[in-house]
Amino acid sequence: MRVVIQRVKRASVSIGGEIFSSIDAGLMVLVGVENGDTPDDAAWLATKTASLRIFNDDAGVMNRPVTDAGGSILAVSQFTLTASTRKGNRPSYIRAAGHDVAVPLYEEYCTLLERLTGRPTAKGVFGADMQVELVNDGPVTIIIDSRLRE
């Protein structure tokens, strides 16, 4: 699994021109599920996401996780994170997990985030044509891949 985590002032997901979900300050997380990913990948990433210290403490140092900063999380599935651009200019999404694997792992990731943070995780709709709007704070953007564990 791969996630792109952005520290945001606010973020929202719209579907069909209507806001489906939104958050104020917190984390906007794009979630990509690949073939071969397991619940262990979802658990590792959820723990890493909830614990990531990218919010400023009183000294202005990025030293606080989202929960300590009073932030929320918006997690949106995005199969294009699995893209391979090795050959040519048209990305290949062959590594993207199918619906039957990706949906449960995305949902598991979101459920674990809720347990770890003690707050609801705002979500998009898996497979929907979504418009994501955000104001990146910093900007701070972190990419994490559960297979690399770095």
Side-chain angles (χ1 to χ4, degrees), residues 6-10 22-28 49-50 52 54-56 64-74 113-114 116-122 137:
Q6 295 177 294
R7 187 178 73 183
V8 298
K9 294 283 189 183
R10 66 181 173 278
S22 64
I23 62 167
D24 289 322
L27 300 177
M28 171 69 215
T49 302
L52 201 59
I54 59 173
F55 290 87
N56 292 346
R64 296 168 47 197
V66 65
T67 51
D68 288 359
S72 300
I73 299 176
L74 171 58
L113 280 177
E114 290 181 353
L116 291 165
T117 64
R119 297 181 156 181
T121 297
D137 181 17

Side-chain angles (χ1 to χ4, degrees), residues 1 3 29 31 42 45-46 49 105-113:
M1 289 177 71
V3 294
V29 184
V31 183
L45 278 174
T49 302
L105 288 177
Y106 164 70
E107 293 293 341
E108 175 73 6
Y109 173 79
C110 293
T111 298
L112 290 169
L113 280 177

Side-chain angles (χ1 to χ4, degrees), residues 74-110:
L74 171 58
V76 176
S77 62
Q78 187 171 356
F79 78 94
T80 59
L81 291 180
T82 68
S84 172
T85 58
R86 181 166 286 157
K87 295 181 181 178
N89 294 317
R90 181 182 170 113
S92 169
Y93 305 108
I94 197 163
R95 294 189 310 215
H99 193 84
D100 57 328
V101 171
V103 172
L105 288 177
Y106 164 70
E107 293 293 341
E108 175 73 6
Y109 173 79
C110 293

Side-chain angles (χ1 to χ4, degrees), residues 125-148:
V125 175
F126 192 94
D129 181 15
M130 297 176 278
Q131 290 71 51
V132 177
E133 188 173 342
L134 62 98
V135 176
N136 196 318
D137 181 17
V140 175
T141 302
I142 309 290
I143 302 169
I144 305 175
D145 188 314
S146 64
R147 293 181 187 190
L148 299 177

